[in-house]
Amino acid sequence: MAESTFWWLLAGAAVAVELVTGTFYLLMLAIGFAAAALSALFGASTTVQILLASAVGGGAVIVWSRIRGKHPKTLPASANPDVNMDIGETVMVDAWQPDGTAQVHYRGAQWTVMHRAGNLPSSGPHRVAEVVGNRLLVDKL
C-alpha cells in the first residue's frame, strides 16, 4: 500500500468518526492527514509526512480553538430569544403563591410563572427570562 493511501484512509476515518461524534476538531486533524497524503504523493520522506500532518492538523486545531473562544457561547434554547419568542416579553404578576409561583394571563392562556433565584417575589410587571417546560421564569422589571 502506498504511503499516500495510508494518509487518505486516516483522513477518511477521521471524517467518519467526526460525523458520528459531532466534533469539529477531527475535521481539522483530517486536513493534516490530507496534507501528509499530498506530501507523500510528491515524494516526501515519512518523517516529513508525519511532521507535516502534525503541524497542519495541530495548527488547524489551535486556530479553530481560538476562533471558537472569541465567539460567545450560545444560550440554551430555553433562554435564547432567537429560538423562543417569549423571551423578553412582559407579563403582569398580580400575586405570588406561597410555593413561589404565580398565575398570569399571557398570549391568551394561563401560564405558571416562577421568579429567578435571588429575586424576591413581588407583584407588578416582569420580563420573561427563560421558558422551563411549560413555566415562565421571570425577572422583576
Side-chain angles (χ1 to χ4, degrees):
M1 172 170 33
E3 287 181 324
S4 64
T5 304
F6 171 75
W7 289 112
W8 287 120
L9 288 173
L10 276 178
V15 169
V17 172
E18 188 281 327
L19 290 172
V20 172
T21 62
T23 63
F24 202 73
Y25 294 101
L26 286 173
L27 288 178
M28 301 297 107
L29 293 178
I31 291 171
F33 295 147
L38 291 174
S39 69
L41 285 174
F42 290 118
S45 69
T46 304
T47 304
V48 170
Q49 294 170 30
I50 292 170
L51 290 174
L52 189 62
S54 25
V56 171
V61 166
I62 290 169
V63 167
W64 180 250
S65 177
R66 290 191 182 188
I67 289 172
R68 286 199 56 185
K70 289 182 181 178
H71 294 283
K73 300 212 183 264
T74 58
L75 295 170
S78 63
N80 190 340
D82 294 333
V83 175
N84 195 323
M85 69 182 203
D86 298 318
I87 306 301
E89 294 295 318
T90 304
V91 296
M92 183 61 72
V93 177
D94 295 326
W96 289 93
Q97 298 170 359
D99 65 355
T101 64
Q103 296 294 318
V104 298
H105 189 74
Y106 172 65
R107 290 198 302 137
Q110 284 295 111
W111 288 73
T112 301
V113 297
M114 304 178 300
H115 59 86
R116 269 213 249 209
N119 294 336
L120 295 174
S122 61
S123 59
H126 287 71
R127 185 169 311 270
V128 177
E130 191 172 343
V131 179
V132 180
N134 61 350
R135 295 178 173 211
L136 303 174
L137 189 64
V138 296
D139 290 326
K140 178 77 172 141
L141 283 179

